[in-house]
Amino acid sequence: MGLPRFGRPKNADESSSNLFVANCGPAVGISNDDIASVFCTFGELNGVYAADESGTRVIVSYSEVSSAQSALMALHGKPCPELGGRSLYIRYSVLQPNPQDQVKDLVSVSMTASDLNIPGLYLVHDFVSAKEEEELLQAVDSRPWNCLAKRRVQHYGYEFCYDIRNVNTKRCLGELPSFLSPILERISSCPTFKNVDPDSIVLDQLTVNEYPPGVGLSPHIDTHSAFEDLIFSLSLAGPCIMEFRRYEDSDWRLKIASSTVTKVESLEDGSNCIKRAIYLPPRSLLLLSGEARYAWHHYIPHHKIDKVNEKIIRRASRRVSFTIRKVRAGLCKCEFPQYCDSQR
């Protein structure tokens, strides 16, 4: 794929979560790990990358702009004892897409669920802390993964069978793991879900997905007959964009089968598709309920980078999602029969 491409910000006073750091690197005997050990004291790192092929300039990428600001103020133009006493020369840098990574900005990306105006869609930022995120990742990494074609999964409570897009309710895998208990308790008491019937927040199925860079999800609606109304998705380790598509007049069957891309809220190509998108940062919790759960296809583009309005965000080395649901015992009787396998 080559080196990530970085450049100067368009505006001289523009800050960034990425820093161009000169006068250090493998060519002068300083490894990227050594550099990371210095810069990680200012905040969570996405990584340290070669800025070019010289071996004396690197890009230090943070998760937060504030971390980059602190590092620049503390280290720019000053000798760094941990890096052989070398004086570092630092400026802000922005990620630029490689030609093969270009992403068409077909859909404007919202940062909050209310901006999408999709009934039943909720997003809670920082639902878990960075420490809790690390503990959850350690918990799943200590357990065996099942390998699919492009990603790894774990199932708890009941296994979701991808070939039939349903669960075998007669084969229970046991209780949900203990590491999920604090999440379930927090969901029940979260003020964002105050309008959700508390009796419906009884969840018994967990699917853990690990996505490498460039891997997403095809557009789909979670099978109505498989799960009850509420579907929670906790994003860990890396960000992504989730797109939502609403098809009318059964047009979705044709579009999904042919994998065509329709224009945003436009009927010029003969489709009845509305498309909206939201940015899911690490540690955020998404809830699909009502119309959002039953009538909107959700989709994660298969991109290595995402364009969030005017910013380019590279996918992390992994993204892990916890999808938490309640297995349905009877038939679905939702208000969207055109999408419902129980009512068709």
Side-chain angles (χ1 to χ4, degrees):
M1 184 177 69
L3 298 174
R5 299 172 59 192
F6 292 85
R8 290 179 179 271
K10 293 181 180 180
N11 302 319
D13 58 349
E14 180 182 349
S15 299
S16 169
S17 59
N18 305 305
L19 298 176
F20 174 91
V21 184
N23 201 29
C24 64
V28 293
I30 300 174
S31 70
N32 286 356
D33 288 342
D34 293 334
I35 298 169
S37 68
V38 172
F39 281 83
C40 72
T41 59
F42 298 95
E44 182 181 356
L45 289 177
N46 292 329
V48 177
Y49 313 103
D52 50 38
E53 296 180 355
S54 69
T56 61
R57 294 179 283 269
V58 300
I59 299 293
V60 176
S61 177
Y62 285 99
S63 296
E64 303 291 341
V65 173
S66 58
S67 302
Q69 292 172 334
S70 299
L72 188 148
M73 292 180 61
L75 300 175
H76 174 59
K78 302 173 183 177
C80 183
E82 296 85 357
L83 300 180
R86 305 183 73 85
S87 294
L88 305 180
Y89 299 96
I90 308 174
R91 60 174 169 79
Y92 292 115
S93 187
V94 293
L95 180 63
Q96 299 175 336
N98 291 318
Q100 66 268 31
D101 285 339
Q102 292 286 352
V103 178
K104 294 181 180 179
D105 193 14
L106 293 178
V107 187
S108 62
V109 179
S110 300
M111 306 300 288
T112 63
S114 58
D115 290 340
L116 269 65
N117 194 28
I118 299 178
L121 184 71
Y122 302 87
L123 179 66
V124 182
H125 289 252
D126 295 313
F127 189 78
V128 298
S129 67
K131 181 180 179 182
E132 289 172 321
E133 176 186 42
E134 181 179 355
E135 292 172 347
L136 289 169
L137 292 172
Q138 289 176 350
V140 295
D141 284 336
S142 68
R143 299 178 179 228
W145 291 90
N146 297 321
C147 294
L148 302 181
K150 294 184 179 180
R151 68 183 193 273
R152 300 194 301 175
V153 300
Q154 297 179 15
H155 296 287
Y156 299 93
Y158 295 87
E159 180 180 1
F160 182 74
C161 302
Y162 295 98
D163 54 344
I164 61 172
R165 302 203 62 78
N166 213 319
V167 294
N168 182 356
T169 57
K170 297 180 180 179
R171 183 168 177 251
C172 180
L173 302 178
E175 296 183 356
L176 294 178
S178 59
F179 62 75
L180 193 65
S181 297
I183 305 302
L184 298 177
E185 293 176 6
R186 195 168 302 169
I187 287 174
S188 298
S189 60
C190 182
T192 302
F193 310 137
K194 61 183 178 181
N195 294 327
V196 177
D197 180 4
D199 294 334
S200 67
I201 308 181
V202 179
L203 308 168
D204 60 7
Q205 197 275 335
L206 167 66
T207 294
V208 182
N209 281 283
E210 181 193 57
Y211 302 91
V215 175
L217 276 179
S218 299
H220 71 283
I221 296 175
D222 285 41
T223 311
H224 288 203
S225 63
F227 302 107
E228 295 282 357
D229 180 39
L230 306 184
I231 298 176
F232 294 90
S233 180
L234 179 66
S235 295
L236 303 174
C240 76
I241 286 175
M242 180 171 284
E243 185 179 298
F244 294 88
R245 299 178 177 183
R246 177 72 190 264
Y247 296 89
E248 299 292 350
D249 302 327
S250 301
D251 191 50
W252 63 276
R253 296 187 185 90
L254 174 62
K255 294 303 177 183
I256 296 304
S258 60
S259 298
T260 56
V261 178
T262 58
K263 294 183 179 181
V264 183
E265 301 198 17
S266 170
L267 305 183
E268 295 176 357
D269 60 354
S271 74
N272 294 328
C273 176
I274 299 174
K275 296 169 70 175
R276 296 171 186 167
I278 193 168
Y279 176 65
L280 302 181
R283 300 185 291 279
S284 64
L285 181 73
L286 183 75
L287 168 60
L288 305 180
S289 64
E291 182 179 323
R293 180 267 188 268
Y294 289 122
W296 289 75
H297 290 75
H298 55 279
Y299 160 59
I300 299 176
H302 298 266
H303 295 161
K304 292 183 179 178
I305 64 170
D306 291 310
K307 189 172 183 181
V308 181
N309 302 324
E310 295 303 318
K311 293 185 177 180
I312 300 297
I313 299 177
R314 181 169 291 275
R315 297 269 179 98
S317 59
R318 70 190 301 213
R319 174 179 175 266
V320 176
S321 69
F322 283 29
T323 303
I324 317 168
R325 302 168 282 206
K326 173 72 172 72
V327 172
R328 188 184 297 276
L331 296 177
C332 177
K333 299 178 181 179
C334 70
E335 299 176 359
F336 305 94
Q338 67 269 40
Y339 303 100
C340 184
D341 61 307
S342 292
Q343 301 180 63
R344 283 202 306 269

